[in-house]
Amino acid sequence: MKVKWEDDLLTGIGIIDDQHKKLFARISSFTEAVEQQDYEAIEDTVNYLIGYSIQHFGAEELLMIRNGYDDFKRHREEHSWFINKVYDLHKSLLKKEISQEQLNEMRDILINWTIHHIKVSDKRIFSHIR
Ligand SMILES: [Fe+2]
């Protein structure tokens, strides 16, 4: 399955949009890696997601706090939920206990959750603080 960046995902904040675009490239390669059962590429993406989720969500949260964004706590809960998923997946990888269900779940989260999160929750931040 191909996951393609579309411009309706733009938030209007350049640095955040650049990070989102890079994430999309990774989602696309993760999807292919899961299809091909390429565990090296899967691990590579999971390692990327660990750094990405901490750094990128941190950048968003900094903007929300600095701007006194009203919906910060709820938004941060969405981030925490995703970070916990990444943590669980990485832990299974470390223990070499990763299942196909977990990989499929992560692929679906990456595609569906991410698109929804950017289109609804992230766009809402940036329309409020602009
Ligand atoms: Fe966000």
Side-chain angles (χ1 to χ4, degrees):
M1 194 199 307
K2 276 272 167 205
V3 185
K4 254 184 56 229
W5 172 267
E6 310 253 348
D7 277 348
D8 64 346
L9 291 157
L10 286 170
T11 65
I13 308 286
I15 191 177
I16 298 293
D17 288 330
D18 286 347
Q19 291 174 359
H20 285 160
K21 283 179 187 171
K22 287 193 181 114
L23 174 65
F24 264 70
R26 289 291 183 148
I27 294 175
S28 184
S29 51
F30 184 77
T31 306
E32 281 165 31
V34 171
E35 271 168 22
Q36 291 158 11
Q37 312 240 348
D38 179 347
Y39 284 93
E40 212 172 298
I42 287 168
E43 266 188 67
D44 201 51
T45 307
V46 174
N47 282 322
Y48 171 81
L49 288 174
I50 297 167
Y52 178 87
S53 50
I54 299 299
Q55 283 168 6
H56 170 72
F57 292 160
E60 282 186 7
E61 288 168 10
L62 187 67
L63 281 168
M64 285 190 271
I65 294 171
R66 283 220 169 115
N67 288 279
Y69 179 60
D70 284 345
D71 211 19
F72 167 74
K73 290 181 183 174
R74 198 200 49 77
H75 195 121
R76 190 167 205 228
E77 276 171 19
E78 288 186 29
H79 289 172
S80 296
W81 179 85
F82 182 86
I83 289 171
N84 287 342
K85 290 286 179 189
V86 172
Y87 168 80
D88 288 341
L89 190 64
H90 182 61
K91 208 162 172 220
S92 299
L93 273 173
L94 286 177
K95 291 197 283 183
K96 308 218 179 292
E97 284 174 358
I98 194 87
S99 68
Q100 193 60 44
E101 287 72 36
Q102 267 179 301
L103 291 173
N104 291 343
E105 188 199 18
M106 190 44 126
R107 178 202 56 208
D108 294 345
I109 288 171
L110 281 172
I111 297 171
N112 301 320
W113 182 90
T114 306
I115 289 175
H116 185 265
H117 181 82
I118 294 173
K119 276 192 183 169
V120 177
S121 301
D122 288 346
K123 277 194 170 184
R124 197 184 290 143
I125 317 172
F126 301 112
S127 65
H128 279 235
I129 68 174
R130 197 163 297 139

